[in-house]
Amino acid sequence: MSDLLLPPEHRYAKQIEERRNEDGSELSVLNLGPTHPATHGIFQNILLMDGERILDGEGTVGYIHRAFEKIAENRPFYQITPLTDRMNYCSAPINNMGWWMTLEKALGIEVPKRVQYLRVIIMELARIADHIICNSVLGVDTGALTGFLYVFQYREKIYEIYEEICGARLTTNMGRIGGFERDWSPAAFKKINEFMDEFPKIWEDFENLLTRNRIFMDRTINVGPISAEKAMSYGFTGPNLRAAGVDYDIRVMQPYSSYEDFEFNVPVGKSGDTYDRFCVRNAEVWESLKIIRQALDKLPEGPYHADVPDYYLPPKEDVYTNMEALIYHFKIVMGEVPVPVTEVYHPVEGGNGELGFYLITDGSRTPYRLHFRRPCFIYYQAFNDMIKGQMLSDAIATLSSLNVIAGELDA
Amino acid sequence: MALETTVIQDKLTDKFGDKVAGFVQQHDILSFEVDSNSMNDVMRFLKEDDTLRFNFLTDICGVHYPDFEKDRQFAVVYHMHNWMDNVRIRFKCFLNGDKPEVDTATNLFLGANWQERETYDFYGIIFKGHPQLKRILNMDEMESFPMRKEFPMEDGGRTDKDDRFFGRTTDNANNNLK
């Protein structure tokens, strides 16, 4: 049996023994996690340490595995959206919209322009919320709590916008096949406009606090670097890959939901270290703001959902008074909708990278197979490679700048 | 799109003959089947050929088809992406239901490591040559492979909830394959 199949402690015990016999020095095994506050989620790293330096490590994941793919095989399409919320819960609307777009691709539904623009707005707000968390928490992990407290109220404002649109805050379960459950209220637009007016100043202050801060730069530059080749081989996507210098962005490569209508840049870094990841995310927030501004300015009038009575729930008033609406309501809720036999893969640019939905349908009410390509799961395997030879405190900063969300990691 | 799907198909059929088959365009992705013994060669060719240049392994996942013939009861699905020409492809390797085995892709893409472990964990598909093929999301002591269709989602002994009232059967396999 290969050593790698054993629990890492066993493997390390051997190495510790060898080192002791060699020069009398004492290596140690350290459990980082599963519930350490600095891991920001429940996953464990078993590290072999030489003093403060990391010699080797192995990640143990799966602590919050909830069998989403299995559950999805037993649920009609509407009931799968709440599962997607709970993957990357820092940017749940992106997951929701990605899932609706996957279904629309499979069912061949054309979505009105207004819906596409509204989706862009909500997805970019979600991306900002995601990056706010990642970057401010990176500040916390390197010892700067101020920025975190300062920007976090703006995540709260984004959640208030979600609340205005769909009623929920964290796990949004937003939208329907073909559009939204209701048109956005004037209050929602008012909140978005307020956010757009106030937030740039706040984000500028936040950047001023950290970007050229000597201590922060010393703590992050050359910490947890990864080369572009290696990052690509490891399946990196999103900001973490762009920080290594590869300008791969699904919004540009395969525009969905009318992203081709907007002007924005794809910020890239150079060395793929923690500092570059921080800077790329900072810059992406500005680009997201630019996209939201353009979408608000160009927002077309029109319906807030596609005209697809087979899949889109009829208005509630009609359900109570109108026989046909009641029938449709019942059929949709029970999942008795026409579904073609097909296979579709749809990627969206999630907060952390390429979030893909691979759906196989067999014509029944539930997916035959639904696989989520979860960017966190795929790039987190590089973590041990990135921290080898670094100090323990650098591992914490690296982990936090990778923005590993346990819910997405484990599905 | 600079790289036409016909070019991909021709190049693959020239090189591998009947080891690749069933080319079909599904929505925006060309998909085909690869003989499970040639998986690694096909992937290497796709990655390293000067015209094809599929430089990125997007995704690996398994599928269980219990109703198919014995030799096609499992499938491993690979998604690859050519970033230069922006073309995606998908290929499937069908595997034997009793002894699902396929070569590992870890020699070509480091990122295949955990994705193959995940597939093994949920389907029991063996990736030959994988450096560390052990469970990843489920606990090591687990004996069954939970994403197989015969694995029930819930404890069959539960009496507090009856799915038949909601038009569902409690038997997953029959529910999905009507």
Side-chain angles (χ1 to χ4, degrees), chain A residues 4 58 61 70 73-74 105 232-233 253-254 342-343 354 362 365-366 368-369 371 373-374 381, chain B residues 27-28 58-59 62 64 86 88 92 110-111 114 123 132 134 136 146 148-149 151 167 172 176:
Chain A
L4 282 169
E58 186 173 325
V61 300
K70 185 75 181 177
E73 285 180 11
N74 292 274
K105 199 191 247 183
M232 278 163 68
S233 179
M253 289 279 267
Q254 286 183 318
T342 184
E343 288 186 19
E354 176 170 346
D362 61 347
R365 67 168 79 216
T366 59
Y368 185 76
R369 170 84 166 104
H371 178 73
R373 184 207 190 265
R374 313 182 304 280
Q381 57 188 310
Chain B
H27 296 276
D28 45 358
T58 307
D59 190 40
H64 188 201
N86 196 10
R88 287 176 190 272
K92 283 185 180 177
L110 291 168
W114 278 24
Y123 289 93
Q132 194 182 16
K134 62 175 185 181
I136 185 160
R148 292 189 177 183
K149 293 283 181 193
F151 189 89
N172 297 332
N176 281 313

Side-chain angles (χ1 to χ4, degrees), chain A residues 351-367:
Chain A
N352 290 328
E354 176 170 346
L355 175 72
F357 297 84
Y358 175 46
L359 170 71
I360 304 180
T361 57
D362 61 347
S364 74
R365 67 168 79 216
T366 59

Side-chain angles (χ1 to χ4, degrees), chain B residues 42-92:
Chain B
V42 173
M43 191 183 273
R44 183 186 296 278
F45 182 67
L46 286 166
K47 184 187 177 195
E48 289 170 2
D49 186 78
D50 291 336
T51 345
L52 297 175
R53 300 188 291 183
F54 283 92
N55 62 318
F56 191 73
L57 178 68
T58 307
D59 190 40
I60 298 177
C61 74
V63 192
H64 188 201
Y65 296 103
D67 290 357
F68 284 11
E69 66 206 74
K70 198 88 227 155
D71 276 341
R72 296 169 65 82
Q73 285 189 340
F74 285 101
V76 182
V77 187
Y78 299 86
H79 283 86
M80 292 179 80
H81 194 176
N82 170 340
W83 285 0
M84 279 67 85
D85 300 302
N86 196 10
V87 185
R88 287 176 190 272
I89 47 162
R90 164 195 310 137
F91 62 90
K92 283 185 180 177

Side-chain angles (χ1 to χ4, degrees), chain A residues 227-388:
Chain A
S227 68
E229 292 78 23
K230 211 161 190 186
M232 278 163 68
S233 179
Y234 264 123
F236 273 52
T237 43
N240 296 331
L241 178 69
R242 292 194 281 272
V246 185
D247 61 341
Y248 176 70
D249 188 323
I250 319 258
R251 291 175 293 173
V252 180
M253 289 279 267
Q254 286 183 318
Y256 51 91
S257 202
S258 288
Y259 265 108
E260 66 276 15
D261 294 0
F262 306 108
E263 288 274 327
F264 62 101
N265 300 322
V266 178
V268 288
K270 209 166 154 190
S271 57
D273 61 7
T274 300
Y275 186 70
D276 276 14
R277 283 191 283 272
F278 172 81
C279 291
V280 163
R281 284 204 172 81
N282 268 347
E284 272 186 22
V285 168
W286 292 111
E287 299 304 322
S288 293
L289 287 170
K290 244 160 77 183
I291 297 172
I292 299 173
R293 173 53 57 207
Q294 294 172 52
L296 284 172
D297 289 345
K298 292 198 280 189
L299 188 66
E301 289 298 317
Y304 58 92
H305 63 87
D307 185 21
V308 279
D310 275 345
Y311 307 102
Y312 187 87
L313 282 173
K316 206 63 173 196
E317 320 68 277
D318 290 358
V319 174
Y320 291 133
T321 54
N322 182 325
M323 188 63 193
E324 199 177 353
L326 179 65
I327 293 171
Y328 271 112
H329 180 91
F330 187 76
K331 279 176 72 171
I332 291 168
V333 170
M334 301 313 282
E336 294 297 332
V337 294
V339 178
V341 179
T342 184
E343 288 186 19
V344 27
Y345 177 81
H346 185 76
V348 292
E349 182 70 29
N352 290 328
E354 176 170 346
L355 175 72
F357 297 84
Y358 175 46
L359 170 71
I360 304 180
T361 57
D362 61 347
S364 74
R365 67 168 79 216
T366 59
Y368 185 76
R369 170 84 166 104
L370 177 61
H371 178 73
F372 305 110
R373 184 207 190 265
R374 313 182 304 280
C376 278
F377 178 76
I378 293 171
Y379 67 64
Y380 182 58
Q381 57 188 310
F383 178 60
N384 287 314
D385 227 4
M386 293 163 79
I387 58 168
K388 246 174 229 175

